[in-house]
Amino acid sequence: MDSLYLLLSSLVPDKTPLWGGLVTPVLLPALHTPPLVLYYGKAGIYIGASLFLLALLALLFSVFERIKNNRMLQQEEQFLSDIFAKVTHEIRTPLTVILGLSKQLKDQKNLSNGNLSTYLNAIERQGKSLSELVNQLLDIANLQSSDKTVEWKTGNIVAFVEMISETFRIYAGQKEIELSFFCTENETETDFVPDWLQKILYNLLSNAIKFSDEGSRIQLIMERDKKERDTLVIKVIDQGKGIPKETLLHIFDLFYKYPQTGKEISAGNGIGLALVKQLTEALGGTIRVESEVGRGSTFTVKLPLRRNEKQLYAHWTPEKSPLLPLITSTPGETAQEPPSSDLSENDPRTAILLAEDNKDIAIYIRSLFPQEHYHIIHARNGEKAWDIANTLIPDIVITDVIMPKKSGIELCREIKSSPLLNHIPVIIVSAKNSESDLLEGLKSGADSYVRKPFYPEELQLLVENLLETRQLLKEKYCRSVLKEEKTEPDNKTNINSEFLRHATDIIYREMKNPDFTPGKLARELAISVSQLNKKLNAITGYPSSTYILQVKINHAKKIFNTQEKTIGEVAAECGIYDVNYFSRVFKKYTGITPTQFKRQPLI
């Protein structure tokens, strides 16, 4: 403060008496400032400094409030933008199935009754999914609207909850899950909104059944709170997969989908639990969840028995209760099982690995590729797709982005970084269709990124074009390795050429070994014979045994062109000690006998 005093004192005229710090009023000359009375002296300086600081703080506060308001507006706009993006993402998947399969029904004239039923069921499931999504969004919107009339009732809530549990007991029984209801009282009069409470229990019980295994139990318990007797406690306890701790904080967030850890089922749309929380709070209650992975979850809803002691509501009776919505399986949950992952090495069809957790989407994509030309291998999560890819080595991969256990982006990165699989084209098909999503997909190594909903011809042409390009690359790889042609540097070409050169170097090293087999080559490369055959066939168009002979014959041609050796000597140099067999193989791959080849003039 003393330094501030010195600074302000330096601005005071020299002739002005300070009088030992006493306050003296002085009128400043009109040439310099408007008429103003200033108080000099040390006390006056402190007052002036304080006023200056207060004015500065007020200005800073005003600026801060304006910045804060602008940030709040930006955050609100960003929140609305995120909600809109997530809603459109949820709509795109059912639209893809409905529009795509509808077109297939019109275009495919000779459709079998089995496929017709499968397509129609998929369309119906996705239509119901779309309807449920819209209804849940409307429920959330209505909760935010003060104009919405809420029908509060007073009645026996035990009877109401028991009716709902009976409906779900039938549904759970179909999945061999035991659902039991227990209440400490036969009758409990309370104020509640039947429609809201029904939706809360509908979401909690359907989730419990969805995430539980066959033979497990689900308990619906209702009792008064032991400490607060005017509070009702409803618990839904399951023995399902459980929820990881890191996701419990976000479980009630709108559009949040927690990762699945076992049972292959649809994850839902991320709205149900957010709606449950808002409905519970609108009833004046609270909800919490306790869960342990592998042991199950407990959702606890606490509701006040009375909303307003002074207000009376219409009485609820079972006869006038709203009907519970028809309980249907999650879209894709009961769909016809897409094709198995069995694939024969001698199958001439193009093998497509389809990584998609929604079975209806898998059915639709399968319908685009005729069975006589394509073999579809379906994986319902990224981790399973990765295992299948390493085992079967498909010709092409089509993958969704959002999947359990491993995302499509992660799957694509791993495929493109694997020496065994990096030759496989990858197409990402996703409802995430922003520019940043597209760029992320392409950066992961995807050969193409298709946004849902898409035209069926778009995906069909992409697959055909990528396979044609792969065929051209096969010829290029063979020329670059067998004929040692120089090629322009290209990352994908270099990666596959490196694998081919490594395999070829091993063959040259063992050239004179008559016991060298594809099995020994596979061991040298640390892969199985099946993987070796599929990899070489994908790169060169030849299985391993044929490729080994190709390299041997190519080596023989070089010896014939550069050295004066007999056919028997050249055959021995190639590890073939049966001259007749050598001659037959030589003619098979070159079209002429070794003798005829030797007589040809060098080019």
Side-chain angles (χ1 to χ4, degrees), residues 171-191:
Y171 175 49
Q174 294 172 353
K175 303 185 69 177
E176 298 183 14
I177 296 171
E178 181 185 346
L179 190 152
S180 60
F181 171 65
F182 174 77
C183 183
T184 54
E185 301 177 14
N186 293 326
E187 185 175 343
T188 302
E189 287 285 321
T190 183
D191 301 333

Side-chain angles (χ1 to χ4, degrees), residues 484-515:
E484 297 182 354
E485 290 183 358
K486 292 184 178 180
T487 57
E488 295 181 4
D490 176 272
N491 285 338
K492 291 182 180 179
T493 301
N494 286 345
I495 292 171
N496 290 310
S497 293
E498 186 60 34
F499 176 87
L500 204 55
R501 289 184 191 281
H502 186 198
T504 306
D505 288 343
I506 295 171
I507 295 171
Y508 269 100
R509 190 187 71 204
E510 300 288 335
M511 185 66 71
K512 294 182 180 181
N513 181 3
D515 298 323

